[in-house]
Amino acid sequence: MKTHKRKKAASIVLASLLSISLTACGSGGSDSGTAAGGDSKGAKVTLELAISKSSQDSAFIQQDILDEFEKQTNVRVNLQLIPAEQTTTVLQTKLAVDETPDIIQYNLASAVTDLNLERNFEILDNEPWASRIVNKDVLSSGGHLYSFHVSQDTGMQGVVYNKQIFEDLGLSIPTNYEEFLAICEKIKASGITPVFMPYKDAWAANIWPAAAFADFVAKNDPTFFDDLNSNKKKWSDIPEFKTFLEQQYEVYTKGYTNTDVLSDSYDMAVGKFLNKEVAMMFMGDWLIEGVAEQDPSMELGVFPIPSSQDASLGASPLGGQLFIPKKSKHLEEAKQFLNFIASKEVAQQIVDSKGYVSNFSDVTTPELPAYKQDIVDNYITPKKTVLTTDAYMLVDRSELYRLLQDQFAGGLTPEEVLKAWDEKFSQLMQDKGVAGF
Amino acid sequence: MKRAKNLYSYYMIYPALLIYSIFFVIPAIAGFYYSFTDWRLDRLELQFIGWDNFKKIFSDKTLILALQNTAIFAIVTVIGKNVIGLLLAVGLNMRLRTKNLLRAIFYSPSILSILVISILFTPMLRTEGTINNLLEAVGLHSLSQAWLTNPSIVIWTIAIVSIWQSAGFQMAIYLAGLQSISQEYYEAATIDGASSWKSFFKITLPLLLPAININLMLTLIGGLKVFSEVYVMTGGGPGNASQVVGTIILRSFGEGNWGLGTAVNTLLFVVVTIIAIPLLIFMRRKEVTE
């Protein structure tokens, strides 16, 4: 009698345990769509749009646009802000357990390496807006349109500089490394820090090599990245890569930078430029946008990383496009949202307010900020840009950034940085199951 | 009759057991299983790969470095937190007019989250930060350091911050232990002519063993599981100089290597268990009762 009761109790526990764990895994988010509205209509759909906290100023998620969309379609858009440093991990996890948001904002090049683009995301080739896209390349991967953006600007990476300081000191844009050092010397003599290096953020140390390597490869070894990704060549095979890393380090050892390069972080950069403490920084043009927001009278520009004679300006893969996961629970509504933003009026509104180069044939590009017009005139139109190395790497790049940081901590020589990255790169490719590794 | 009563009382643990199983036992077992698979974002068809993940751990220089750093951190903090905590407790167990104030001051850092402490210390530990400025102001210029950016001392710096934060908490446990020791022992010892050193080693320490025990366990397990301090202050850098097991687990997940990440976690679990349980048994035996 007693044992019977005990068994029964145990089986109840077991059963409830099982059912709880099953519901926890299986159907956690199934009610999110219907329950969220809660009003009398009942059928109101809520789209979940996941976006990194660092992109919270993104053009797509301005409240007035979302409100207008809701008014027209009765579809609400709920934003999921993800902490910047965990965006990748959170999205990977959500995709893996089928808890997918309906729309994701992410970077196309990184989506290929981090989020398994082909398997997880809808191909958008046949969407109504696709035929109006001017520059399909910046939204495509493997010949298909996977992402959406109203703009075709890509982040331009090079040396961001203060035009006023250059003018005051009578300096002109350097065309090679020696000229660059001479400029640093003059700026230093005037009491201003020539270059700001915020290498507490390891990724910032990658701006110089990402453009310098890509420029060299484009001019001297065009098949290098294909060879690299099939394990026919290694990073350390190119002696010039070592030289480029030495150059960046030399700018530091010659005393042309802030003293505490490993303690200073990127978020200090805008302030340093506003206070005119520094004249240059190896960074993308997004920094210029950030400075202009605080003080529109500051005139900054960007020129190519002066690693070799007449280098091209680095173009990073376009950041922050919208993607629709295949497992989206409201596929139709998600596509409807893209249609809405792609409509002539809304797209024009976004392009105008953000100063974008329009990517729709029927949406006109507004008058661009001076620095952007410079980039278009001096680099984009004469085709003097080169896609940075990030676009070609199929693996997580954070270990490379740490190795670059280690060079500045005195732990590794440039040669050792490239050797160590060769090892890690090939291990990551092997883990990924890429043929040849 | 008596037996039925006992059984009834056992039913009371079922709810707790249930919750514990769902949130701890099942994930732990699942994690143990996943650490033997090649679980990755881009290859969700799991494959059982045996010991491969563990072999990889021991052939990766960074992971070895992380294990070393974790060991250094654990040893330094166990010694630092307990020695300083005990000294503070003994000192503040005396008849001092300011003892309550001092107790509160030394205890207060441990109320704050280690995250807050780490964020506060990061700018202070810069090369041109408060700590170095202070050292220079008192003429100790030679001691100023690149505390968080010099690869050879960074893990020690983090350990010292952790000691600073937690020693007051250890002090509180030691104080509780000290106050449970009856004054009669000391009176008897004084009558017998024992020096204060002798009564410390012969009376205080043995009777304080339960408290020492708890503190050693807490600080050791905490030290081996270190994550927040390192994550906030250096993120494992510069380079990989201050990676610990906790940050390596995060790194593996970031690289999409979930199987490897869980394997490192499993390894940490095993290491903590292997060190903690024998130590606990050993220390329990040494305890005496009043």
Side-chain angles (χ1 to χ4, degrees):
Chain A
M1 185 62 186
K2 289 274 143 55
T3 47
H4 182 70
K5 251 192 180 166
R6 224 163 122 190
K7 264 188 188 159
K8 200 172 161 194
S11 62
I12 290 170
V13 169
L14 198 72
S16 45
L17 216 156
L18 243 156
S19 61
I20 288 172
S21 61
L22 281 177
T23 45
C25 304
S27 61
S30 63
D31 56 350
S32 61
T34 46
D39 55 341
S40 55
K41 288 169 202 154
K44 187 165 185 166
V45 172
T46 300
L47 287 177
E48 298 288 336
L49 197 163
I51 192 165
S52 166
K53 183 88 171 48
S54 61
S55 309
Q56 61 178 334
D57 297 327
S58 167
F60 300 128
I61 59 167
Q62 288 166 19
Q63 199 54 47
D64 51 338
I65 290 176
L66 300 185
D67 289 346
E68 181 61 29
F69 179 63
E70 185 173 355
K71 215 165 82 189
Q72 285 189 16
T73 59
N74 201 28
V75 176
R76 215 173 75 84
V77 178
N78 184 35
L79 294 178
Q80 300 177 358
L81 284 181
I82 307 170
E85 65 274 23
Q86 283 156 21
T87 307
T88 308
T89 322
V90 169
L91 289 178
Q92 283 178 343
T93 316
K94 280 176 179 285
L95 290 167
V97 300
D98 293 347
E99 273 293 311
T100 52
D102 301 302
I103 305 174
I104 284 171
Q105 184 176 34
Y106 208 70
N107 172 307
L108 179 65
S110 309
V112 178
T113 63
D114 304 343
L115 300 182
N116 204 344
L117 189 74
E118 280 175 46
R119 204 191 61 203
N120 285 322
F121 296 102
E122 283 284 297
I123 291 175
L124 306 172
D125 287 344
N126 299 320
E127 291 306 299
W129 44 265
S131 58
R132 291 158 52 221
I133 293 281
V134 180
N135 185 350
K136 279 204 164 67
D137 288 349
V138 295
L139 301 174
S140 305
S141 170
H144 288 294
L145 217 55
Y146 276 99
S147 61
F148 172 87
H149 203 305
V150 296
S151 155
Q152 54 172 315
D153 309 22
T154 63
M156 288 299 172
Q157 293 174 206
V159 184
V160 172
Y161 71 108
N162 184 322
K163 286 183 178 173
Q164 191 62 50
I165 293 177
F166 268 53
E167 204 174 296
D168 291 350
L169 300 175
L171 306 172
S172 54
I173 290 173
T175 55
N176 59 41
Y177 183 62
E178 284 68 36
E179 283 179 32
F180 178 72
L181 288 182
I183 282 176
C184 287
E185 192 59 51
K186 280 187 187 151
I187 297 174
K188 194 184 176 193
S190 77
I192 298 168
T193 305
V195 179
F196 182 59
M197 289 187 172
Y199 294 169
K200 179 173 199 260
D201 295 315
W203 62 268
N206 188 48
I207 301 285
W208 178 292
F213 289 8
D215 176 65
F216 177 84
V217 166
K219 286 173 183 154
N220 302 290
D221 190 357
T223 59
F224 175 75
F225 289 114
D226 290 332
D227 295 343
L228 183 79
N229 287 327
S230 52
N231 205 15
K232 288 192 200 111
K233 274 190 182 156
K234 292 190 170 301
W235 293 90
S236 54
D237 288 347
I238 310 276
E240 283 80 2
F241 285 5
K242 202 183 81 181
T243 313
F244 299 150
L245 292 183
E246 280 163 359
Q247 288 173 344
Q248 176 170 238
Y249 190 52
E250 197 181 34
V251 174
Y252 164 66
T253 50
K254 277 183 179 283
Y256 295 147
T257 67
N258 42 322
T259 45
D260 238 356
V261 292
L262 291 175
S263 296
D264 292 342
S265 55
Y266 175 74
D267 52 24
M268 301 162 68
V270 169
K272 295 272 179 193
F273 273 97
L274 289 177
N275 294 338
K276 302 191 179 65
E277 283 173 54
V278 297
M280 297 184 281
M281 180 167 164
F282 312 142
M283 197 35 69
D285 59 0
W286 54 84
L287 171 70
I288 305 180
E289 220 177 303
V291 173
E293 260 169 41
Q294 302 281 325
D295 180 2
S297 71
M298 285 289 288
E299 276 193 56
L300 303 187
V302 58
F303 61 80
I305 296 290
S307 52
S308 42
Q309 190 70 34
D310 289 316
S312 299
L313 194 62
S316 57
L318 186 58
Q321 302 94 320
L322 296 180
F323 297 82
I324 301 182
K326 280 186 181 155
K327 299 232 169 100
S328 158
K329 288 170 202 86
H330 307 291
L331 211 54
E332 279 318 303
E333 288 83 356
K335 289 183 173 173
Q336 209 179 342
F337 182 68
L338 298 195
N339 277 340
F340 169 76
I341 292 182
S343 69
K344 198 166 174 254
E345 299 72 36
V346 178
Q348 188 70 59
Q349 185 191 332
I350 293 177
V351 165
D352 286 347
S353 73
K354 290 277 176 179
Y356 284 150
V357 179
S358 164
N359 202 11
F360 286 115
S361 50
D362 54 357
V363 173
T364 48
T365 302
E367 195 189 334
L368 297 174
Y371 79 90
K372 213 176 251 189
Q373 193 61 54
D374 277 359
I375 294 173
V376 173
D377 294 345
N378 298 329
Y379 301 103
I380 295 180
T381 313
K383 297 207 181 305
K384 279 193 68 183
T385 64
V386 61
L387 214 50
T388 54
T389 50
D390 290 15
Y392 303 99
M393 277 188 255
L394 307 176
V395 293
D396 182 78
R397 296 177 290 276
S398 45
E399 183 69 10
L400 170 65
Y401 303 161
R402 277 191 283 265
L403 294 168
L404 292 169
Q405 194 187 40
D406 212 1
Q407 191 197 338
F408 284 82
L412 294 174
T413 65
E415 202 163 6
E416 288 165 342
V417 169
L418 293 169
K419 279 239 159 63
W421 177 234
D422 270 337
E423 269 173 43
K424 185 73 185 182
F425 183 78
S426 110
Q427 183 221 316
L428 289 170
M429 291 293 266
Q430 199 184 338
D431 288 348
K432 240 178 126 64
V434 178
F437 284 89
Chain B
M1 266 317 271
K2 194 161 184 270
R3 196 175 132 75
K5 204 172 167 188
N6 280 347
L7 270 181
Y8 172 75
S9 61
Y10 277 116
Y11 295 159
M12 289 290 149
I13 27 170
Y14 281 138
L17 193 66
L18 179 72
I19 293 168
Y20 182 73
S21 306
I22 292 170
F23 291 107
F24 184 77
V25 178
I26 293 174
I29 293 169
F32 189 71
Y33 167 74
Y34 285 128
S35 60
F36 290 95
T37 65
D38 62 348
W39 190 26
R40 290 182 57 84
L41 167 78
D42 41 14
R43 226 180 310 146
L44 286 177
E45 305 76 26
L46 290 190
Q47 252 181 8
F48 194 80
I49 52 165
W51 293 99
D52 281 10
N53 282 329
F54 293 91
K55 281 180 198 152
K56 204 182 261 172
I57 292 175
F58 287 103
S59 61
D60 184 333
K61 273 180 268 169
T62 314
L63 282 161
I64 301 283
L65 178 69
L67 287 170
Q68 276 173 9
N69 277 339
T70 309
I72 293 176
F73 183 89
I75 294 167
V76 172
T77 52
V78 165
I79 295 172
K81 288 174 182 178
N82 286 292
V83 170
I84 296 175
L86 186 59
L87 288 176
L88 287 174
V90 172
L92 295 178
N93 200 32
M94 295 174 187
R95 291 175 207 280
L96 283 172
R97 195 176 292 176
T98 53
K99 89 181 166 194
N100 284 334
L101 178 71
L102 287 174
R103 282 179 188 178
I105 288 173
F106 287 121
Y107 184 72
S108 57
S110 62
I111 301 170
L112 292 175
S113 157
I114 186 70
L115 289 175
V116 176
I117 304 271
S118 307
I119 291 168
L120 289 175
F121 264 91
T122 309
M124 286 166 61
L125 289 164
R126 291 164 50 89
T127 318
E128 294 153 350
T130 325
I131 307 262
N132 280 343
N133 288 344
L134 269 177
L135 285 173
E136 274 171 45
V138 295
L140 292 169
H141 183 79
S142 55
L143 285 182
S144 73
Q145 285 285 347
W147 298 103
L148 289 175
T149 54
N150 179 346
S152 48
I153 61 166
V154 56
I155 193 70
W156 296 81
T157 309
I158 299 171
I160 290 167
V161 173
S162 180
I163 292 169
W164 180 86
Q165 191 241 0
S166 163
F169 181 74
Q170 264 63 54
M171 171 198 78
I173 296 178
Y174 284 128
L175 268 176
L178 284 173
Q179 284 170 1
S180 71
I181 301 173
S182 164
Q183 282 301 316
E184 289 166 21
Y185 294 108
Y186 295 105
E187 283 161 17
T190 320
I191 292 167
D192 290 343
S195 68
S196 49
W197 276 116
K198 201 156 191 178
S199 49
F200 178 75
F201 282 108
K202 295 285 179 191
I203 301 169
T204 313
L205 269 189
L207 290 175
L208 205 55
L209 261 179
I212 294 176
N213 239 337
I214 291 168
N215 268 336
L216 279 184
M217 277 294 134
L218 285 178
T219 50
L220 180 68
I221 294 173
L224 290 171
K225 284 167 63 179
V226 55
F227 173 74
S228 314
E229 301 91 311
V230 180
Y231 183 67
V232 174
M233 283 198 265
T234 66
N240 281 315
S242 61
Q243 295 280 14
V244 288
V245 175
T247 53
I248 284 290
I249 293 171
L250 186 79
R251 182 188 75 156
S252 305
F253 276 83
E255 285 168 0
N257 246 332
W258 302 350
L260 186 67
T262 43
V264 181
N265 199 15
T266 304
L267 184 74
L268 180 65
F269 175 79
V270 172
V271 170
V272 172
T273 313
I274 288 177
I275 297 176
I277 290 182
L279 183 69
L280 190 67
I281 294 170
F282 174 76
M283 297 293 292
R284 273 278 147 80
R285 280 206 200 122
K286 294 271 168 194
E287 280 180 24
V288 287
T289 44
E290 284 191 36

